[in-house]
Amino acid sequence: MLAPAVALVLGAPSLAAQAAPPDKVSKSIDRVYGAGARADTVVVDSQTVYRVSRGGALLGFAEVRNVKGKEQPITYLVAVDSAGATRDVDILVYRESQGGEVAYDSWRKQFRGKTSGDPIEIGKDIRNISGATISSNAVTRSVRLALRQLADWRAAGKLK
Amino acid sequence: MRFSSPVLAVLALCALPVIPCRTVRLVAQQEPEEEHTSIGGYGEVHYQNPSGPDSPGIVNVARFVMFLAHQFNAKIALRSELEVEDAKVEAGDTRAGEVSVEQVYLDYMLSPAATLRAGLLLAPIGLINETHEPTTFNGVERPALDNDVIPTTWRDIGLGVVGQIPGSSGLSYRVYLLNGLQASGFTADEGIRGGRQEGQLASFANPSFTGRLEYARPGLKVGGSFWYGGSANQDPALGTGTFDNAVALVSADARYETGPFSFRAEAVNIHVSNVEAINAAFGGQVGSRIAGGYLEGAYNVLTLVAPASHQRLDAFVRHERYNTQAGVPAGVVRDDALARRITTLGLTYKPVYNVAFKGDYQLRRNQAGVGEGELLNLGIGYQF
């Protein structure tokens, strides 16, 4: 019964202001790693990474990132397994008027299994979606950078 | 929003402990500000040289366009496109440039399945009308079909809904009610093009329905569009009903990319009803049916000579066939010069995907063999 009051008083100015509503992030992590996965916040080089585990066993790491599309930021989650291979890329908030096809599973599933050593480039190992060229390129490039950064952090011992 | 009610404040305080800690902790980094203004744009500069000894080339800033968008909150956004065509507009200058607002609308995002949209909108028809930035198509000029048959850039005032069809994985739609066409502007050689009102103190006599369904998967997109609406503008000579002198358009298009190859195709058919009355009222030779299509294939040459390159050099060929008098009413003698066949061969070089250097050669033919010509085009284009 109290939840609506929270939404009204706290929700309007604070929670709604966030790029990715927390419930979307936690739902996304549950979907990618399975229900009951525990997500702990780790701050690395002043960036927030979610360390995902279940029963003490490391499942992987996830990060929420924003990348500029044509006009607006695209907010997405990139999730890797404990070996650094991509489990999924999930579009959390899409704000552009055109190019929303990047949220389709048929497009996102191209990233699954990719590691920081793969090209991850439109026209090479990732296919474009016509009419969503800017969004496809932006998300692809951002995922490439995210995977390399996560791999670097792990190699440097900053993520365990 | 402000809530000063003490009751609400008390409720909020009571509720605080029930917020799960995990939820509060899961906050995205690098959050964009809730309210956000962005600018963008595109432009194209052309050089055009018709064949023949006495025809100098022409250079032109064909388009300089600015996008201005504003996100008011997570759900409401404004988008706009302001365009200068042909470099400038000056009183008394016979080279008519154009300044126009091509789009200005508000989006209210309810869910991925439904965004409400209202304002000056682009008709969701074919490949080029909605996506007309120079980096998105081959050739310096837009395909001629997307000028003479689908009157690009076709826009008018109205409202509608756009979204992805839930559970379909790949299907999206747009449905609009837009202000309609005026038959007084229809012509034999450019069909319905002159009938657009483009949101300028426009008569709202003939609201029209238009829409599009698209299926997309990586590498492939197919779409179908329609327009249905009257054009009589309550002219007693034509009819006073909303759907009198109806224009009925259907179109289909496809884009496919695989490795270095890319293909696109578009076909459109327009039927103009009661066209005898239109021709009688305005003295034109407007066709009752306007139809055509094109096929285009391209190959990224750099995959052969520099496979590691991030750049593109597409060699393409496009063949268009269309006739703005595919059907004529009794009393109109068909002009075979309007049955056009245009072949364009060219190159598009993209050092990055948002910048294009283009060159092409066009063979412009028609069934009558009258007024045929060839055209060399060079151009630059960008968008961001």
Side-chain angles (χ1 to χ4, degrees):
Chain A
M1 285 303 288
L2 294 173
V6 177
L8 274 177
V9 180
L10 297 176
S14 64
L15 295 183
Q18 289 150 14
D23 63 317
K24 279 201 178 175
V25 179
S26 74
K27 263 186 205 155
S28 182
I29 287 176
D30 281 352
R31 192 184 61 72
V32 175
Y33 294 98
R38 175 196 164 98
D40 294 300
T41 307
V42 186
V43 177
V44 193
D45 293 349
S46 73
Q47 297 203 49
T48 304
V49 179
Y50 303 112
R51 184 184 189 279
V52 187
S53 59
R54 185 185 288 112
L58 176 67
L59 294 177
F61 297 94
E63 199 184 350
V64 174
R65 297 176 71 104
N66 287 292
V67 60
K68 186 179 173 284
K70 183 174 175 184
E71 289 166 345
Q72 303 293 336
I74 301 166
T75 304
Y76 73 95
L77 178 130
V78 54
V80 300
D81 65 17
S82 56
T86 309
R87 290 194 61 143
D88 210 347
V89 169
D90 201 4
I91 307 295
L92 300 177
V93 191
Y94 189 83
R95 305 171 180 82
E96 304 271 15
S97 59
Q98 208 179 63
E101 295 92 338
V102 292
Y104 290 159
D105 184 64
S106 62
W107 190 74
R108 294 183 294 107
K109 75 180 180 195
Q110 299 182 94
F111 292 100
R112 287 174 205 155
K114 298 279 184 214
T115 68
S116 60
D118 288 313
I120 314 180
E121 189 176 336
I122 293 288
K124 297 248 190 312
D125 55 344
I126 304 289
R127 296 182 82 178
N128 187 27
I129 286 196
S130 301
T133 304
I134 293 178
S135 295
S136 314
N137 273 278
V139 172
T140 303
R141 179 171 181 276
S142 182
V143 169
R144 178 168 73 236
L145 299 176
L147 292 186
R148 293 188 183 159
Q149 189 167 56
L150 286 168
D152 287 349
W153 282 335
R154 290 213 74 190
K158 290 177 177 176
L159 271 184
K160 288 171 200 159
Chain B
M1 280 203 287
R2 283 179 191 279
F3 294 92
S4 53
S5 156
V7 178
L8 281 178
V10 169
L11 276 176
L13 284 175
C14 295
L16 268 178
V18 306
I19 303 171
C21 292
R22 182 170 178 269
T23 308
V24 170
R25 218 174 55 232
L26 287 170
V27 169
Q29 62 191 32
Q30 307 161 6
E31 287 161 13
E33 291 183 15
E34 184 190 9
E35 196 159 346
H36 176 86
T37 303
S38 56
I39 57 165
Y42 74 89
E44 44 190 323
V45 180
H46 295 179
Y47 167 84
Q48 201 166 59
N49 197 346
S51 61
D54 301 321
S55 55
I58 296 163
V59 285
N60 187 27
V61 180
R63 293 182 182 88
F64 177 82
V65 178
M66 282 182 294
F67 298 130
L68 185 63
H70 188 78
Q71 191 85 36
F72 294 95
N73 63 27
K75 295 197 178 301
I76 302 175
L78 161 82
R79 305 187 203 280
S80 71
E81 177 177 344
L82 180 64
E83 169 154 339
V84 178
E85 279 188 31
D86 303 337
K88 67 170 187 175
V89 178
E90 198 173 311
D93 194 332
T94 52
R95 299 165 296 184
E98 183 180 311
V99 174
S100 52
V101 180
E102 280 212 340
Q103 311 181 52
V104 56
Y105 61 85
L106 289 168
D107 267 354
Y108 192 110
M109 288 167 254
L110 298 174
S111 75
T115 291
L116 306 181
R117 179 169 287 178
L120 177 65
L121 311 179
L122 299 178
I125 295 171
L127 291 172
I128 304 289
N129 199 56
E130 291 179 292
T131 310
H132 48 249
E133 293 83 353
T135 52
T136 63
F137 58 89
N138 285 315
V140 174
E141 296 285 347
R142 297 168 181 176
L145 178 92
D146 290 295
N147 185 77
D148 299 340
V149 180
I150 298 174
T152 306
T153 307
W154 189 356
R155 71 268 189 183
D156 219 309
I157 293 171
L159 49 83
V161 190
V162 308
Q164 295 171 354
I165 296 174
S168 65
S169 190
L171 283 172
S172 63
Y173 71 94
R174 300 189 261 301
V175 190
Y176 300 150
L177 178 72
L178 286 190
N179 192 20
L181 298 160
Q182 284 192 344
S184 56
F186 295 173
T187 60
D189 61 335
E190 289 192 330
I192 61 174
R193 185 174 184 82
R196 295 173 303 164
Q197 303 195 70
E198 303 180 336
Q200 186 177 43
L201 297 174
S203 161
F204 203 75
N206 304 105
S208 300
F209 292 102
T210 180
R212 178 168 173 84
L213 188 66
E214 268 181 2
Y215 172 74
R217 47 166 293 133
L220 174 71
K221 184 174 266 186
V222 291
S225 306
F226 74 93
W227 172 284
Y228 183 80
S231 66
N233 195 29
Q234 292 177 357
D235 184 329
L238 300 179
T240 52
T242 302
F243 293 103
D244 282 352
N245 289 71
V247 173
L249 174 153
V250 288
S251 74
D253 51 75
R255 284 164 278 185
Y256 182 65
E257 294 171 37
T258 180
F261 294 98
S262 52
F263 304 92
R264 48 170 65 189
E266 183 173 77
V268 58
N269 187 76
I270 302 171
H271 183 263
V272 183
S273 64
N274 197 21
V275 74
E276 298 89 341
I278 296 173
N279 288 333
F282 306 108
Q285 305 277 300
V286 180
S288 54
R289 196 168 80 85
I290 300 159
Y294 62 77
L295 287 169
E296 179 185 306
Y299 181 79
N300 179 7
V301 180
L302 287 190
T303 55
L304 278 183
V305 295
S309 174
H310 303 302
Q311 308 187 353
R312 284 186 78 100
L313 178 62
D314 282 297
F316 76 94
V317 57
R318 177 170 62 234
H319 185 67
E320 304 178 61
R321 278 172 184 250
Y322 62 90
N323 190 346
T324 48
Q325 284 184 339
V328 289
V332 170
V333 179
R334 190 182 260 123
D335 178 356
D336 284 339
L338 299 178
R340 283 155 274 190
R341 299 179 212 136
I342 302 170
T343 304
T344 310
L345 299 130
L347 291 169
T348 304
Y349 169 59
K350 291 191 188 177
V352 294
Y353 72 94
N354 272 338
V355 169
F357 295 85
K358 300 175 171 184
D360 63 68
Y361 196 76
Q362 269 188 341
L363 309 165
R364 304 176 76 95
R365 305 279 183 255
N366 60 63
Q367 203 173 317
V370 175
E372 296 184 331
E374 293 173 11
L375 209 55
L376 172 71
N377 297 297
L378 300 172
I380 61 163
Y382 65 85
Q383 73 160 324
F384 61 93

